[in-house]
Amino acid sequence: MPARSAISSSRRQWIQAAAVLAGGLLAQASVPAQAQGEAPWPSRPVRVVVPFPPSGATDLVARVIAQRVSQELGQQLVIDNKPGAGGTIGAAEAAKAAPDGYTLLFTTSSTHAISPHLMPRLSYKADKDFTPIAHMADAASVLLVTPSLPVRSVAELIAYAKAHPGQLNYASSGNGTIVHLNTAAFAAQAGIRLTHVPYKGTAQSITDLAAGQVHLLFDSIPTGMPHVASGRLRALAVTGDKRSALAPNLPTVAESGLPGYSSVTWFGVYGPAGMKPELVERINQAFNQAVRNPDVIASLAKQGVEPAKAQTPKEFAAMVKADSARWAKVIKDNHITLE
């Protein structure tokens, strides 16, 4: 009897061990391939291409968000500035990277909703060569006028422009820029005729606006409002769907005389085409979580930027598609070119 009990006990142990081994093999078979052959993302630093110069608006926003994502993931996100041709050089480079999540693109409306309609020979297809990942933030502009212009609201500006067709000049930071497009869209919707005066940047345009050589300008809120505070310029409204925290007393263009008008520069994250859905979702969650951190929100606010409502990659793609269609119409209707 003792010998038989010992044999039975030994057999039970063998059966139990076999069952554990079989269960382990089944469990291993169900683990995604990444866990078997690759370390989970991110196991090394992630390169984030910013297709605009260092210290510019996009660069500053990208660095604030990337720093928080790095802290939350425990892995460094390295900003790599690749400026040139309105952001299209850096975007094209990011599109050619491996779709493994270790090269991302932090960009704006310019490369994916505007440039494709201004540069038909782009080396990338905005809707095919990238994987949309996350909509990060939005930045509205402020409508500024020279103090010598006898208007104090959008409604008064529109009325004055209709009474003086073609006599008002507006400044921009160059042909095809968001400043140019904002004003073209504004004039078209208001039914007024304005004369475009393009500049190389906004510094000289601010000087000329204060002197009355040009009459209006859509500028970024952080750069424009100090001139309003000093009395050099007058602000009429902001271009977003809601008032800005940097200028809470200013109405939106829509509520101040042009219902339905809205324009913001969006910031978003892309990867190369062909990324795995589970990887895209992981990155989407990491960035959406980071941009909702109170410190990040406060830092962005200083740049006149507000976190976007959290979106799935599909929702982000749909938003960009609609924005692209809108700017395509503005560009076509106003015969805007880069020449």
Side-chain angles (χ1 to χ4, degrees):
M1 288 294 292
R4 183 177 298 176
S5 297
I7 293 173
S8 298
S9 176
S10 177
R11 184 178 183 184
R12 283 196 301 270
Q13 291 176 0
W14 183 88
I15 293 173
Q16 290 172 353
V20 170
L21 177 61
L25 291 174
L26 288 173
Q28 184 177 3
S30 65
V31 173
Q34 184 186 41
Q36 295 184 37
E38 306 173 18
W41 183 92
S43 61
R44 63 179 189 272
V46 176
R47 175 190 180 216
V48 180
V49 176
V50 174
F52 299 99
S55 301
T58 306
D59 177 68
L60 294 175
V61 172
R63 289 179 187 278
V64 167
I65 296 174
Q67 182 179 18
R68 185 62 196 181
V69 175
S70 295
Q71 293 172 355
E72 294 184 353
L73 294 177
Q75 189 60 259
Q76 187 176 13
L77 271 65
V78 181
I79 300 296
D80 186 7
N81 297 96
K82 295 290 182 179
T88 60
I89 291 176
E93 180 172 324
K96 298 174 183 177
D100 56 8
Y102 289 97
T103 296
L104 302 175
L105 174 69
F106 193 101
T107 191
T108 72
S109 320
S110 177
T111 59
H112 282 65
I114 296 175
S115 291
H117 310 296
L118 291 170
M119 305 177 184
R121 296 182 181 179
L122 275 180
S123 60
Y124 63 83
K125 298 292 185 182
D127 58 344
K128 295 181 180 180
D129 294 341
F130 299 87
T131 298
I133 296 177
H135 179 194
M136 287 283 87
D138 297 309
S141 299
V142 59
L143 173 53
L144 304 171
V145 297
T146 183
S148 61
L149 197 65
V151 301
R152 293 187 175 275
S153 70
V154 170
E156 290 181 1
L157 174 62
I158 293 173
Y160 188 92
K162 287 182 176 180
H164 303 80
Q167 295 182 29
L168 292 185
N169 300 327
Y170 71 92
S172 83
S173 50
N175 285 328
T177 61
I178 189 65
V179 181
H180 182 192
L181 299 184
N182 275 341
T183 322
F186 174 83
Q189 189 171 338
I192 58 177
R193 185 155 54 90
L194 304 172
T195 300
H196 181 211
V197 182
Y199 288 78
K200 294 181 179 180
T202 58
Q204 183 59 44
S205 68
I206 289 288
T207 300
D208 286 355
L209 184 64
Q213 295 183 35
V214 289
H215 302 99
L216 61 115
L217 166 70
F218 282 89
D219 195 18
S220 71
I221 297 175
T223 59
M225 290 308 292
H227 299 289
V228 175
S230 69
R232 294 184 70 204
L233 301 175
R234 181 180 301 142
L236 301 185
V238 295
T239 63
D241 293 327
K242 59 182 180 180
R243 298 192 179 200
S244 169
L246 290 185
N249 294 327
L250 278 182
T252 65
V253 171
E255 69 178 303
S256 183
L258 197 60
Y261 181 91
S262 177
S263 178
V264 297
T265 295
W266 53 258
F267 300 85
V269 180
Y270 284 86
M275 292 178 66
K276 295 179 180 179
E278 58 271 23
L279 177 58
V280 174
E281 181 62 24
R282 174 76 177 97
I283 300 174
N284 173 275
Q285 291 176 356
F287 274 88
N288 277 329
Q289 182 177 351
V291 83
R292 267 145 194 82
N293 177 270
D295 292 338
V296 171
I297 293 173
S299 294
L300 294 180
K302 295 177 183 178
Q303 305 299 324
V305 176
E306 297 187 8
K309 179 181 178 182
Q311 293 181 334
T312 65
K314 287 185 178 181
E315 290 171 335
F316 175 41
M319 184 277 291
V320 174
K321 183 178 180 180
D323 195 48
S324 178
R326 175 187 177 235
W327 289 127
K329 186 177 188 307
V330 171
I331 290 167
K332 180 180 179 181
D333 291 350
N334 291 276
H335 309 289
I336 296 174
T337 68
L338 296 182
E339 297 179 358

